[in-house]
Amino acid sequence: MNILFLDQSGKLGGAELSLIDVASAFGDRCLVGLFADGPFRQALEQHEIPVKVLTDQPLLVHRNSSFWQSLKSLRQIVRLVGKIVRLSQDFDLVYANTQKAFVLSAIASLFTHHPLVYHLRDILSPEHFSQTNLSLAIWLANHFATLVIANSQATKQAFIEAGGRAEIVKVVYNGFEPASYRVPLSTSSELRQQLNLDNRFVIGHFSRLSPWKGQHILLEALTHCPDNVVALFVGDALFGEQEYVEQLHHQVTESRLSDRVRFLGFRSDVPQLMTMCDLVAHTSTVPEPFGRVIVEAMLCDTPIVAAAAGGVVELIEPGKTGWLAPPGDALKLADVIHQCRRRPEQTSTIAHRAKLKATQCFQLAHTNQQIAALLNTIVKPCSSGFEPTRMDMTKQ
Ligand code: UDP
């Protein structure tokens, strides 16, 4: 089966890292088409996944764009749709990994009639999208998607609540290679020394810097913790959230936390950094679709506390494999930090159990098998290769 994957971003967010894992299974039987150039293209090339950047101008439509703002990009949209139509001739199906990629692929499918898969990695709700974008995504999914793969039950539920057809959506959790998260103890203690963090209780926060990722909540929690508790923020403002970055730095100064907070920017050694931490905190203020960092912390054997909303509650059993705190509740977060410090043995038992659970439940090989099985039901083999057929999802 030959697949044309499409993604709107040139940057390395969670959706893009997950796509590398999915596309790797198809090797040279796929092409990843991008709507922007950047580190994502380089990462795909490093993994020897064929990639093509489809435009040299970034699409000016955003998650919160109104109908009229979207209309301004019409010429660019038409050009991109034309490219997708031409490219897709050589493939058995089109697989959209992000919302904009899906919208354009859906329009293209009017001309190509290829099966269209929408890998839904967003919570389609007004908290995340403008009403225009939300309604458009749902309408197009209902009319043009052969299959919607949701990355959690929460993502699936939001899709259905927004008016999406329940019979076309299937849940497949993201998968991980546990071996990539096995870090020698010597590496993490060297890293701790390099960063001058010996004898500190280190809380890691791994996420792009963005208001809804809630870095400010961890800063607030820190003010309720003793001085030897420090925070590392790993990640960059990927989508122009410069104002929030300034706000965070201001909060650090105002709260006299300068000696206890580091911003490391985007890093490609997440497993090493996570293993070095005493606790990983996830603080999204609105429902998180999945939360890759949670499973990654588990695989690193590092305790995790996360904001209890969206897909997160499907990943953590509170008190057994981690901790949950209500989104935006800095005091509750500080309370969990105290507990972890006070009861290190209980904390590491929970982390070991979480590692076992994540290793069993989130294997990349299993995720890729599930995706392949779903794709096989919508693209049937025939003598001359593969013949696309519309899937009767109600039989699934
Ligand atoms: N990440 C990374 N380097 C960084 C910060 C984050 O590689 O400096 C990775 C992180 O390990 C995770 C992904 O970015 O795999 C973020 O995915 P998640 O689902 O947590 O959030 P999203 O970006 O999809 O909102």
Side-chain angles (χ1 to χ4, degrees):
M1 185 188 309
N2 297 315
I3 303 188
L4 175 61
F5 291 102
L6 294 168
D7 191 293
Q8 70 204 41
S9 181
K11 302 191 175 153
L12 274 173
E16 289 67 36
L17 291 165
S18 298
L19 182 58
I20 292 176
D21 290 336
V22 174
S24 292
F26 292 90
D28 58 9
R29 287 174 296 127
C30 76
L31 174 70
V32 181
L34 303 182
F35 299 174
D37 200 358
F40 182 31
R41 190 223 351 119
Q42 290 160 358
L44 286 161
E45 283 169 356
Q46 275 162 17
H47 284 81
E48 296 180 3
I49 299 168
V51 54
K52 189 178 172 102
V53 179
L54 306 183
T55 172
D56 51 9
Q57 284 175 334
L59 258 185
L60 297 174
V61 187
H62 302 291
R63 283 172 173 237
N64 296 314
S65 294
S66 67
F67 176 72
W68 296 112
Q69 284 165 329
S70 312
L71 214 60
K72 280 189 199 153
S73 311
L74 198 60
R75 196 191 303 166
Q76 200 191 356
I77 290 173
V78 169
R79 255 193 245 131
L80 263 173
V81 168
K83 277 195 185 164
I84 296 170
V85 170
R86 281 192 296 281
L87 267 179
S88 61
Q89 308 303 325
D90 298 329
F91 296 89
D92 299 305
L93 73 87
V94 177
Y95 189 117
N97 194 53
T98 55
Q99 202 219 12
K100 281 185 216 170
F102 170 65
V103 170
L104 270 55
S105 315
I107 301 170
S109 76
L110 280 172
F111 306 95
T112 64
H113 309 293
H114 280 73
L116 173 58
V117 176
Y118 179 14
H119 202 134
L120 182 57
R121 303 181 182 279
D122 291 307
I123 301 255
L124 289 178
S125 75
E127 282 155 319
H128 290 273
F129 291 93
S130 70
Q131 195 51 50
T132 309
N133 278 346
L134 200 63
S135 308
L136 185 68
I138 295 291
W139 191 85
L140 290 173
N142 284 345
H143 289 85
F144 298 103
T146 322
L147 164 70
V148 176
I149 299 177
N151 65 356
S152 67
Q153 293 293 344
T155 305
K156 172 182 170 177
Q157 214 42 47
F159 174 76
I160 295 169
E161 275 164 26
R165 283 164 53 210
E167 66 273 21
I168 56 171
V169 55
K170 303 286 159 195
V171 174
V172 179
Y173 287 124
N174 288 326
F176 300 80
E177 286 280 13
S180 313
Y181 298 87
R182 263 175 237 135
V183 177
L185 221 60
S186 57
T187 310
S188 58
S189 47
E190 264 170 42
L191 202 50
R192 236 179 133 100
Q193 269 178 4
Q194 273 170 28
L195 293 165
N196 213 4
L197 293 168
D198 282 341
N199 305 319
R200 304 285 196 109
F201 186 90
V202 182
I203 305 169
H205 192 290
F206 297 78
S207 170
R208 58 203 155 89
L209 304 177
S210 173
W212 76 271
K213 290 290 188 179
Q215 280 86 358
H216 58 285
I217 306 293
L218 177 56
L219 286 179
E220 197 186 326
L222 220 54
T223 62
H224 301 286
C225 298
D227 285 353
N228 75 327
V229 178
V230 302
L232 288 187
F233 291 97
V234 181
D236 246 339
L238 291 188
F239 305 109
E241 298 94 341
Q242 217 43 51
E243 204 180 306
Y244 182 61
V245 176
E246 279 162 31
Q247 219 174 291
L248 288 175
H249 285 284
H250 183 68
Q251 190 180 353
V252 168
T253 317
E254 284 285 292
S255 311
R256 298 173 193 276
L257 291 171
S258 305
D259 296 341
R260 297 168 57 194
V261 173
R262 304 265 183 84
F263 291 93
L264 300 188
F266 186 89
R267 300 276 296 224
S268 45
D269 55 350
V270 166
Q272 289 76 2
L273 287 162
M274 273 188 178
T275 307
M276 182 206 74
C277 291
D278 296 295
L279 179 68
V280 167
H282 165 276
T283 55
S284 293
T285 55
V286 294
E288 178 80 54
F290 179 86
R292 286 176 57 90
V293 292
I294 294 163
V295 178
E296 290 173 331
M298 289 171 157
L299 291 170
C300 289
D301 207 9
T302 303
I304 171 84
V305 52
V312 171
V313 297
E314 298 161 46
L315 309 179
I316 294 179
E317 274 185 87
K320 288 192 172 165
T321 55
W323 290 266
L324 292 176
D329 191 340
L331 278 179
K332 178 65 190 169
L333 178 59
D335 188 43
V336 173
I337 296 169
H338 288 310
Q339 271 188 53
C340 293
R341 289 181 58 244
R342 253 185 274 126
R343 302 194 198 123
E345 275 175 27
Q346 191 196 16
T347 302
S348 56
T349 305
I350 287 178
H352 294 337
R353 205 183 289 134
K355 180 177 176 175
L356 201 66
K357 166 111 193 277
T359 308
Q360 283 165 356
C361 300
F362 300 102
Q363 287 274 353
L364 179 59
H366 182 55
T367 294
N368 283 345
Q369 273 164 16
Q370 284 180 292
I371 292 176
L374 283 170
L375 299 187
N376 277 324
T377 59
I378 57 172
V379 178
K380 289 227 174 93
C382 67
S383 51
S384 62
F386 284 89
E387 180 186 284
T389 55
R390 280 239 155 213
M391 178 191 189
D392 182 359
M393 298 297 294
T394 49
K395 290 186 189 146
Q396 278 280 299

